[in-house]
Amino acid sequence: MKLRWLSAVLAALVVMSCGAESSRVVVAAGTTVVDSGFIDGLAEKYEMSHPGAQLSVVENSTALILELGRQKTADLLITHAPDQEAVFFDEGRAAEHRAVFQSRFLLVGPPSLAGRFRGLEIPEVMRTIAAEGIPFVSRGDGSGTHDAEMKAWLESGLSPAGRPWYLETGQGMGPTLLVADQRGAVTLAEEGVFVAASKVIGLVDLGVVSEGLENPYTAIVVKGADGERAADLFFQWLLSDAGRSAMLEVNERLFGRVIYDPAGSG
């Protein structure tokens, strides 16, 4: 009888353990949305409304996030590099994927450049930066931000590689903003991180025309990951009315306005 009771207890513990494990989701997200505080804010909202759910957020560049997906060491990815994402989808590694929200990129620089490029399109600004040797700091890390910067250089007809005024940090958005601030340099920044960092840096938005600087984020459920089922629940919540409402609330609390615009909100 005692042995039967012990077996029943052990079986119950195994079930409880499996349930707890299945409720945990490893969310790998771009440094932009982590450094800005937005993903942590959303995770908090989700956990509050879903007792037992546990979201563990890790940050990295999109290139490395997608590698985590390939290794199935992350359950849900939040990325913002469409070309890199397309390769991942073509490999058949996504159980589901959808656009979830959008921000924008800004070209930011020292106050001495304030107003100089206002209203200009980014290719023209990049050509001026190259012609005058204005210091420029790049993430250079395979991130969605770096992809957007490379696209801007391509549209300008230039390659900055190896130029003395061009520096690659190989780091995330927050550290790159700090380096640009210290060097009085220009950089391409995601708006949410820039607003979050504005209390500690002196860089300003240079007012470049925003057309072409849209920054869509995609949520991807990794096929075959241990937490795929729980990840799908979070994925569906992000797309729901409740998820969109949570995004608006987190925007308001962090920024006082909408920076990360929910998909389908307008």
Side-chain angles (χ1 to χ4, degrees):
M1 183 66 121
K2 188 181 227 176
L3 184 58
R4 190 178 303 166
W5 174 84
L6 181 58
S7 297
V9 170
L10 289 173
L13 288 173
V14 168
V15 170
M16 289 172 63
S17 173
C18 290
E21 183 178 357
S22 65
S23 68
R24 180 173 180 266
V25 180
V26 177
V27 179
T31 67
T32 50
V33 288
V34 177
D35 289 349
S36 69
F38 187 65
I39 287 300
D40 285 338
L42 283 183
E44 181 181 355
K45 287 279 188 184
Y46 182 74
E47 290 174 345
M48 286 175 61
S49 61
H50 294 74
Q54 180 187 359
L55 302 184
S56 300
V57 178
V58 297
E59 66 173 308
N60 222 312
S61 66
T62 287
L64 292 179
I65 287 170
L66 292 171
E67 282 306 310
L68 292 178
R70 290 183 174 97
Q71 297 164 18
K72 300 180 183 178
T73 51
D75 307 308
L76 185 135
L77 318 177
I78 296 180
T79 56
H80 63 138
D83 291 345
Q84 295 186 53
E85 292 160 8
V87 174
F88 190 85
F89 303 152
D90 288 345
E91 293 170 351
R93 300 181 186 274
E96 295 190 78
H97 61 90
R98 286 275 291 279
V100 282
F101 50 82
Q102 175 174 291
S103 68
R104 63 183 180 132
F105 293 113
L106 305 172
L107 204 63
V108 301
S112 61
L113 294 177
R116 178 167 180 193
F117 300 123
R118 186 166 300 280
L120 299 180
E121 295 186 357
I122 194 165
E124 181 179 355
V125 176
M126 301 303 247
R127 284 191 287 268
T128 301
I129 288 171
E132 299 185 11
I134 297 172
F136 191 100
V137 174
S138 169
R139 285 181 57 169
D141 64 347
S143 61
T145 306
H146 184 232
D147 278 7
E149 180 213 323
M150 290 298 98
K151 181 181 177 182
W153 286 115
L154 182 63
E155 290 174 350
S156 74
L158 298 168
S159 173
R163 304 289 185 91
W165 44 265
Y166 187 77
L167 172 68
E168 293 182 303
T169 66
Q171 299 186 60
M173 194 73 261
T176 297
L177 280 167
L178 290 174
V179 171
D181 186 49
Q182 292 164 0
R183 292 175 174 262
V186 175
T187 192
L188 188 71
E190 192 271 342
E191 185 176 17
V193 186
F194 177 67
V195 171
S198 60
K199 297 175 183 177
V200 295
I201 61 175
L203 300 176
V204 299
D205 177 4
L206 298 180
V208 174
V209 171
S210 60
E211 184 177 351
L213 292 177
E214 299 84 4
N215 181 30
Y217 286 87
T218 299
I220 306 167
V221 178
V222 177
K223 184 184 292 186
D226 289 343
E228 179 183 341
R229 186 172 179 180
D232 185 64
L233 294 176
F234 180 50
F235 175 84
Q236 298 299 337
W237 179 82
L238 287 170
L239 298 172
S240 70
D241 289 342
R244 287 191 288 269
S245 294
M247 290 180 200
L248 294 174
E249 291 172 14
V250 174
N251 269 294
E252 184 63 30
R253 177 169 59 82
L254 291 177
F255 314 112
R257 58 189 173 90
V258 176
I259 286 181
Y260 297 101
D261 192 23
S265 63

